[in-house]
Amino acid sequence: MGITGRRDEEIYDVVGIGFGPSNLSLAIALEEHRASAPHHPVRSHFFERQPSFGWHRNMLLPSTTMQISFLKDLATFRNPMSRFSFISFLHASNRLVQFVNNQDFFPTRQEFHQYLEWAAAAFADRVSYGAEVTSIRPRVEDGTLSPGLLEVEVRAGDGTTSVVTARNVAISTGLVPRMPDGVAADERVWHSSEFLGKFRAQDPDGLKSVAVVGAGQSAAEITRFLHDALPHAQVRAIVPSYGYSVADDTPFANQVFDPAAVDDYYFGTERGRDAFWRYHRNTNYSVVDADVIRDLYRRAYDEELHGEQRLHFRNLTRVAEVQRAGSATRVVLRSLLDDRAEELSVDALVFATGYDGLDPARLLGDFDRHFLRDAAGRHRVERDYRLVPVSDLTCGVYLQGGTEHSHGLSSSLLSNIAVRSGEIADSIVLRRTERELERDRPVEVAPPAA
């Protein structure tokens, strides 16, 4: 139920900024609240700058699989009975029996993307695609800041702008691709986030020498893909470590992604938080699945055995310089072993160098000063993923990502997405209820004088 402010104005309980898996999961949690309280639903709308739903489309490489169980979908850990579970998707697609026969906990990325598209289609009436949120600000009425209302400015694909009003926003704009300092992407220098689109725009016959920079899963998968797709090409993997490191997906290590681990991290000591990162970074950061590592090593070994080497690894090596030379790209490599420099000329250079986290300050602008930061300059975040306000603001700014410092390793990952989104939905509903109780509380009136 909307709450009317200015005449004929619709005020949303929550506006979602971005409509990837995280805010899609939030939409599902709110929809299931609507089903349990049909007479008092949470009014929501989502804005997504992409023209249609899509999740890492440029990394949907053939045969690549998810690194999490299919049970860690958009809803199951929060509500095993949800009609938006991956199992429900398989049933709707008439593939449940075949999937079970496959005896695999890890679907391909292609199939998981189909699942996400299937779930997103149910919310077409609550999502505006091709619409980018450019700023968030508090409403000001008669020169006074309204503590409970936010104005969200949206730019449509045709350049026109509009403003919608909400009591809460949930920011889920995703991660920002990271390139090395001084390196700019172009038609021959790519970040992994744009890989397939850039690769398909090239004539494969013109790619005779390619290089991939990075030590993580994306770097290894792209290296393997190029080795398969370009049988005539020299493929070089430039790895800053001494070879790829295996991802620890064993049961005890995987507990760092459990919902309970968020409480342990959030309410833990600084020493405890440091231990999380020191001992368990190898569950997700700059690591590769063991089967991919073995496959790449076996390929290089077989080529050496047959004297036809075209898959090369430059370990403990970093890119020192990148320059364009006509249609080719000149790369200067620097060995960390002996500081020796080596020059390469490549037709395509891929940086699988990771991402920077979500920073809400870009959208909040001057409004950002109304929220507290810690001693390290990072936003302070409540357990329910809401920014801590400086003043008595009652509107809420929730973060779906960018909370690794406060909530731990799973903050930007799919592992805890269903529970995290459910906690945000519960917070929005609870705070709305408290607001309404406060509004409806009877006022005590003193008895008349005798």
Side-chain angles (χ1 to χ4, degrees), residues 37-293:
H39 301 298
H40 200 30
V42 174
R43 293 190 63 82
S44 62
H45 198 81
F46 298 84
F47 295 95
E48 169 56 52
R49 63 188 172 191
Q50 294 188 98
S52 61
F53 183 87
W55 175 70
H56 294 306
R57 287 185 180 277
N58 284 307
M59 281 301 294
L60 298 179
L61 305 178
S63 301
T64 52
T65 60
M66 298 294 294
Q67 293 174 276
I68 59 171
S69 164
F70 68 90
L71 292 172
K72 292 185 175 183
D73 57 26
L74 298 168
T76 296
F77 272 30
R78 176 185 53 80
N79 175 17
M81 302 295 290
S82 175
R83 69 181 181 91
F84 291 99
S85 69
F86 185 77
I87 290 177
S88 295
F89 158 71
L90 290 173
H91 184 267
S93 305
N94 199 30
R95 285 204 305 272
L96 180 56
V97 173
Q98 294 92 321
F99 184 87
V100 172
N101 288 341
N102 203 35
Q103 299 184 18
D104 198 339
F105 259 71
F106 307 99
T108 65
R109 280 199 207 137
Q110 288 277 3
E111 185 169 32
F112 201 80
H113 193 275
Q114 289 176 12
Y115 158 62
L116 296 175
E117 289 181 309
W118 170 82
F123 299 93
D125 62 328
R126 272 160 273 178
V127 185
S128 295
Y129 290 102
E132 181 177 8
V133 171
T134 55
S135 71
I136 305 166
R137 56 180 180 261
R139 168 173 285 187
V140 177
E141 295 179 328
D142 299 325
T144 303
L145 184 148
S146 176
L149 295 177
L150 296 168
E151 293 185 335
V152 181
E153 186 173 293
V154 184
R155 182 171 59 220
D158 59 5
T160 60
T161 61
S162 60
V163 175
V164 297
T165 305
R167 297 199 177 278
N168 303 280
V169 294
I171 303 176
S172 180
T173 50
L175 303 173
V176 180
R178 183 194 308 130
M179 295 285 280
D181 291 341
V183 177
D186 59 29
E187 66 271 16
R188 294 299 180 102
V189 179
W190 317 326
H191 187 269
S192 58
S193 61
E194 54 184 358
F195 173 68
L196 277 179
K198 292 288 189 178
F199 176 79
R200 289 166 177 163
Q202 304 294 321
D203 177 5
D205 293 337
L207 300 177
K208 297 181 173 60
S209 176
V210 294
V212 182
V213 182
Q217 183 77 14
S218 294
E221 288 177 348
I222 290 172
T223 299
R224 182 172 64 175
F225 172 85
L226 291 172
H227 191 252
D228 286 335
L230 303 173
H232 57 282
Q234 297 292 310
V235 180
R236 293 177 173 83
I238 302 166
V239 187
S241 55
Y242 200 70
Y244 299 115
S245 298
V246 67
D248 187 351
D249 61 353
T250 53
F252 286 111
N254 258 341
Q255 290 180 132
V256 298
F257 302 120
D258 291 353
V262 178
D263 280 338
D264 290 336
Y265 190 94
Y266 187 87
F267 297 109
T269 64
E270 284 301 319
R271 288 181 62 190
R273 293 183 182 190
D274 180 66
F276 266 88
W277 289 100
R278 187 168 64 252
Y279 290 112
H280 299 295
R281 285 188 64 88
N282 64 341
T283 56
N284 185 67
Y285 296 90
S286 297
V287 288
V288 183
D289 287 346
D291 60 334
V292 178
I293 294 175

Side-chain angles (χ1 to χ4, degrees), residues 205-450:
D205 293 337
L207 300 177
K208 297 181 173 60
S209 176
V210 294
V212 182
V213 182
Q217 183 77 14
S218 294
E221 288 177 348
I222 290 172
T223 299
R224 182 172 64 175
F225 172 85
L226 291 172
H227 191 252
D228 286 335
L230 303 173
H232 57 282
Q234 297 292 310
V235 180
R236 293 177 173 83
I238 302 166
V239 187
S241 55
Y242 200 70
Y244 299 115
S245 298
V246 67
D248 187 351
D249 61 353
T250 53
F252 286 111
N254 258 341
Q255 290 180 132
V256 298
F257 302 120
D258 291 353
V262 178
D263 280 338
D264 290 336
Y265 190 94
Y266 187 87
F267 297 109
T269 64
E270 284 301 319
R271 288 181 62 190
R273 293 183 182 190
D274 180 66
F276 266 88
W277 289 100
R278 187 168 64 252
Y279 290 112
H280 299 295
R281 285 188 64 88
N282 64 341
T283 56
N284 185 67
Y285 296 90
S286 297
V287 288
V288 183
D289 287 346
D291 60 334
V292 178
I293 294 175
R294 292 191 183 96
D295 184 26
L296 286 172
Y297 190 90
R298 187 178 298 111
R299 292 175 185 222
Y301 181 83
D302 287 346
E303 288 183 350
E304 184 177 355
L305 178 66
H306 294 95
E308 299 175 354
Q309 199 83 33
R310 65 183 190 87
L311 178 59
H312 311 272
F313 295 92
R314 297 288 188 271
N315 297 332
L316 281 178
T317 302
R318 295 189 181 276
V319 173
E321 186 180 354
V322 177
Q323 291 183 351
R324 287 300 304 273
S327 61
T329 300
R330 175 178 163 273
V331 185
V332 178
L333 305 179
R334 180 75 63 179
S335 171
L336 300 179
L337 284 171
D338 53 17
D339 203 37
R340 183 177 302 176
E342 175 188 4
E343 287 193 12
L344 293 176
S345 180
V346 296
D347 301 307
L349 178 63
V350 186
F351 284 94
T353 44
Y355 298 81
D356 292 322
L358 180 155
D359 182 6
R362 181 184 66 83
L363 288 173
L364 296 174
D366 187 58
F367 185 37
D368 188 55
R369 61 188 175 87
H370 288 269
F371 300 96
L372 292 175
R373 291 178 178 259
D374 62 19
R378 302 167 300 193
H379 283 100
R380 287 183 56 189
V381 189
E382 299 280 10
R383 176 59 184 83
D384 61 2
Y385 300 93
R386 183 167 47 94
L387 291 184
V388 179
V390 173
S391 56
D392 59 350
L393 291 174
T394 58
C395 54
V397 176
Y398 293 87
L399 302 185
Q400 293 258 44
T403 57
E404 289 84 357
H405 64 287
S406 57
H407 289 70
L409 281 72
S410 65
S411 292
S412 61
L413 305 177
L414 292 176
S415 297
N416 198 33
I417 191 172
V419 174
R420 180 175 71 241
S421 297
E423 290 171 342
I424 293 174
D426 288 345
S427 175
I428 291 169
V429 172
L430 177 62
R431 292 175 66 240
R432 183 182 67 169
T433 303
E434 291 173 345
R435 223 170 26 240
E436 291 168 349
L437 288 174
E438 181 69 28
R439 184 189 62 198
D440 297 338
R441 184 173 290 124
V443 178
E444 294 185 6
V445 179

